[in-house]
Amino acid sequence: MAKSTKKTTETPDATDPAHAGMVAAMAAFSPVATTAWFDMMQESMRFVTERLEKDLEAQRAMLACRTPQELMQAQSDFMQKAFTDYTEETRRMMELMGVALRVDIRDTAPTTRRNFDDVPV
């Protein structure tokens, strides 16, 4: 009897101790980085979902074309929208990274001022 060579791919479960430990370690290392990472993942998933929907709409439009000119126009429209969407998404991701970087730098920026808490009285 032949064994199945099909691999199962499971998404990590949030209740899995290994997954929870990884998240806790990231949060302990840098809460700002963890928040930024989660925000970026959420934005990425939103974008991918939106682009897949638009890709399906474009396929439907291309399949409905009756002439080569209609097909070329549908393809051209699709590429222009995709270019605009990817450019906008790049801007959003850079914005998210910039917010995290500014907050992180502000929190860890060295200062030359003394608080005078270290001077014995």
Side-chain angles (χ1 to χ4, degrees):
M1 195 167 183
K3 289 186 178 180
S4 174
T5 59
K6 191 161 123 183
K7 293 182 180 179
T8 58
T9 57
E10 296 179 19
T11 58
D13 183 12
T15 60
D16 179 25
H19 179 72
M22 179 185 71
V23 171
M26 284 176 52
F29 176 70
S30 174
V32 173
T34 304
T35 302
W37 184 78
F38 281 124
D39 290 346
M40 290 174 63
M41 290 300 107
Q42 184 178 13
E43 175 60 26
S44 294
M45 291 306 297
R46 183 207 60 79
F47 177 71
V48 167
T49 302
E50 185 179 295
R51 278 304 315 157
L52 285 173
E53 289 172 2
K54 289 181 180 181
D55 290 353
L56 286 173
E57 288 173 17
Q59 277 186 343
R60 287 186 195 109
M62 287 182 210
L63 289 171
C65 292
R66 302 243 184 247
T67 66
Q69 291 81 8
E70 287 178 358
L71 179 60
M72 290 295 290
Q73 185 61 47
Q75 287 176 333
S76 177
D77 291 346
F78 169 74
M79 289 304 295
Q80 287 175 351
K81 287 177 188 173
F83 182 76
T84 302
D85 289 349
Y86 278 99
T87 301
E88 185 63 24
E89 182 62 13
T90 301
R91 185 195 60 75
R92 277 191 208 106
M93 293 300 274
M94 295 302 281
E95 205 172 82
L96 286 172
M97 285 188 257
V99 167
L101 185 61
R102 280 191 299 277
V103 170
D104 206 24
I105 286 174
R106 195 176 330 121
D107 291 343
T108 61
T111 179
T112 56
R113 296 184 318 157
R114 290 183 59 188
N115 293 331
F116 296 104
D117 290 345
D118 60 341
V119 178
V121 182

